[in-house]
Amino acid sequence: GDGGANGVYTYGRTSRFPTSSYQSTNYWVDVTFTTQSVTVPAAPTAVTATAGDGSATVSWTAPSNGGSPITGYTVTPYVGATAQVPWTVTGNPPATSTTVTGLTNGTAYTFRVAATNVAGTGPASAGSNAVTPVGVVTVPGTPTGVSATAGDASAMVSWTAPSHGGSAITGYTV
């Protein structure tokens, strides 16, 4: 031959380019590698909701991440079977609860949650318990336009109903 090395090697604890040779020996190496398959996350579980004033606090249990960290959650409110505007939760890692605002008081909602990783968004969870946001309830206002008409040992009293204070008026004391 030309005196050049057929095969080169290196030895040591640090990574470096092989430059050493021994008696023009060839060094055969079988390179093996494995790939880790990343899939979308599984569906979150144990989704629960608690009503607030025009809002609901929704919490859930994080699912299996599919081989890659979860980067966010999508919380979708439903009125019956109709999806409403979704709510996004992000962070590193993202929280497993959020307060969804902008809900209509007096309307029943359920919530479904889906997790996202680098592979995409996984399936939505089962629906949460139903909750109905309610506004702050206060005492009713004062009736107005009160008038009375005398009768035989009686009086006919009438008035204009006041604001209800956030809950139906159940009675009046005259």
Side-chain angles (χ1 to χ4, degrees), residues 65 68-73 89-96 116:
N65 67 14
S68 178
I70 292 173
T71 57
Y73 293 99
V89 178
T90 58
N92 189 16
T96 54
T116 301

Side-chain angles (χ1 to χ4, degrees), residues 48-159:
T48 59
T50 305
D53 181 4
S55 67
T57 299
V58 182
S59 61
W60 58 91
T61 300
S64 166
N65 67 14
S68 178
I70 292 173
T71 57
Y73 293 99
T74 302
V75 179
T76 305
Y78 283 81
V79 174
T82 305
Q84 307 299 301
V85 177
W87 194 264
T88 303
V89 178
T90 58
N92 189 16
T96 54
S97 68
T98 189
T99 299
V100 178
T101 60
L103 303 178
T104 303
N105 286 335
T107 299
Y109 293 88
T110 58
F111 300 87
R112 294 180 184 266
V113 181
T116 301
N117 67 9
V118 296
T121 300
S125 67
S128 71
N129 54 300
V131 295
T132 302
V134 292
V136 175
V137 178
T138 61
V139 297
T142 302
T144 57
V146 178
S147 64
T149 305
D152 184 17
S154 66
M156 174 64 80
V157 180
S158 62
W159 60 86

